[in-house]
Amino acid sequence: MRVPVALTAEQRAEHDDLTPGIARLVARATKRPLTQPEFLQLMQLLTSQRMICNGLALSRFTELFTELAGRTASDALLATLASPKLAELRELVRNLAVAQGRKVVIFSQWRRMLELAHWAVRDLLAEAGQRSVFFSGGESQDQRTRNVEAFHEDQSTRVFFATDAGGVGLNLQRAASTLINLELPWNPAVLEQRIGRIHRHGQKRPIEVYNLVSEEGIESRIAQLVEEKRAVFNGLFDGTTDEVKPGAAGSFLARIERLIEPAPAASTTTAPNPADEEAAEDEPEPSAAAAPPPALALPPSALPPAALPPAALPPVAPPAEDGLAGLLAQVTVRPSGPSRVTIEAPVEVARQLSAMMAAMAQLLAKVAEDPEA
């Protein structure tokens, strides 16, 4: 179930301030490969917009949370935070966990968003004699095991907060049939993994999934792409054939353009002159530090799936004329036994694809340095 959440004026202003920088980098990527700093900046700007959609309390977490932690959430206080998702979550927990007595799993990509969510509902749970537990990268293995046991065995443990990193392999269907996504991930497969925590063999109840989606921002357009199943992850394989479908792999930039297309048209900013753009290409890009929130680092799940066209990757050996699609067209994938496939490609094609994947692995390692962000 999609739960629409309106952006506040303050959220919308900060969200839209980042769009010109994204559009500039996307336009540049259509002319030449982005450098690693440029690609990282593009992903930081996109992720910053997603964080803003979750609320300014998340994008300003470092400066706000110490003060908030010592106060009790209230409608009046929540209204000052430009974070309407927290107010929406509070109502969902009041209805589902407190009033109906359900056990609820709440997912977010960001541990900090879960901490804000816990703060927003902890007084409701406490008044009802209920509690919550966490399952993320922030707990020891022993603590996570105890938290899973408590969620299954303790009737007063009603809410289970989990991140994508912490949630892999969880089996919660015996305890819960209700899931709340505080945001939608880039990758529809990650969304399915979240749902799979409660929709597994042995689940005897109908499941309910609530997706909180901020309207009129990047998040609503991500939701549309996910709903259409046109994300790059699903675009490479159609799920019904042994053959790679290379044509869909070259659509990363087109998808980014879809995420930002309404904002430039609605703004009063004059469209950039192509000559000015070419002249500015050799100029250093403004520091990304001014655009993303403090201490922003991208965990792997913040990135779109890894099948990116050459224009969005750090420079490597020049690919075939048709870019990544041309390379993939020379790859053969065929079954070779139960649960096995064989992948064949010319040596030079394999070398170029390997270089691209190695460059992507370096980027992922760099942006995942701070798992708590």
Side-chain angles (χ1 to χ4, degrees), residues 330-334 342-346:
Q330 302 176 64
V331 176
T332 301
V333 181
R334 55 182 174 80
T342 296
I343 301 176
E344 297 176 347

Side-chain angles (χ1 to χ4, degrees), residues 186-190 192-193 229-239 248-249 251 255 304-308:
W186 282 103
N187 189 336
V190 174
E192 292 304 314
Q193 288 170 0
K229 295 186 177 181
R230 295 180 62 191
V232 176
F233 182 84
N234 284 339
L236 281 176
F237 298 91
D238 68 5
S251 58
R255 298 186 195 287
L308 307 179

Side-chain angles (χ1 to χ4, degrees), residues 90-242:
R90 185 175 170 88
E91 290 307 306
L92 284 173
V93 169
R94 190 199 307 272
N95 179 44
L96 299 172
V98 177
Q100 299 183 33
R102 300 193 203 179
K103 294 205 170 192
V104 180
V105 180
I106 299 176
F107 262 102
S108 178
Q109 175 182 312
W110 293 283
R111 163 76 189 212
R112 290 176 176 181
M113 187 63 186
L114 294 180
E115 292 180 16
L116 286 165
H118 170 257
W119 167 79
V121 304
R122 68 184 181 188
D123 64 308
L124 298 178
L125 297 176
E127 289 173 3
Q130 300 170 2
R131 60 187 289 262
S132 62
V133 293
F134 279 78
F135 194 101
S136 69
E139 303 82 37
S140 67
Q141 183 60 50
D142 287 346
Q143 184 62 57
R144 280 186 282 181
T145 299
R146 290 194 296 270
N147 289 349
V148 172
E149 290 176 353
F151 191 61
H152 280 93
E153 307 298 338
D154 179 12
Q155 288 302 311
S156 67
T157 304
R158 294 289 177 84
V159 177
F160 190 96
F161 292 106
T163 62
D164 295 315
V168 176
L170 272 176
N171 295 301
L172 302 174
Q173 70 274 16
R174 185 164 60 87
S177 60
T178 304
L179 184 146
I180 299 173
N181 289 305
L182 293 177
E183 76 284 320
L184 289 177
W186 282 103
N187 189 336
V190 174
L191 178 60
E192 292 304 314
Q193 288 170 0
R194 291 182 179 184
I195 297 171
R197 300 313 103 205
I198 64 171
H199 192 205
R200 303 175 76 83
H201 180 71
Q203 176 60 267
K204 299 179 180 179
R205 294 158 294 181
I207 67 166
E208 291 187 6
V209 178
Y210 297 84
N211 299 321
L212 272 59
V213 178
S214 292
E215 301 297 338
E216 301 181 349
I218 187 174
E219 193 169 71
S220 64
R221 294 188 284 276
I222 290 174
Q224 181 179 356
L225 292 178
V226 170
E227 289 164 1
E228 294 172 354
K229 295 186 177 181
R230 295 180 62 191
V232 176
F233 182 84
N234 284 339
L236 281 176
F237 298 91
D238 68 5
T240 61
T241 178
D242 301 327

Side-chain angles (χ1 to χ4, degrees), residues 36 314 355-369:
Q36 286 193 15
M356 289 182 182
M357 295 302 102
M360 192 64 193
Q362 292 176 357
L363 282 173
L364 290 174
K366 182 175 181 180
V367 301
E369 290 176 355

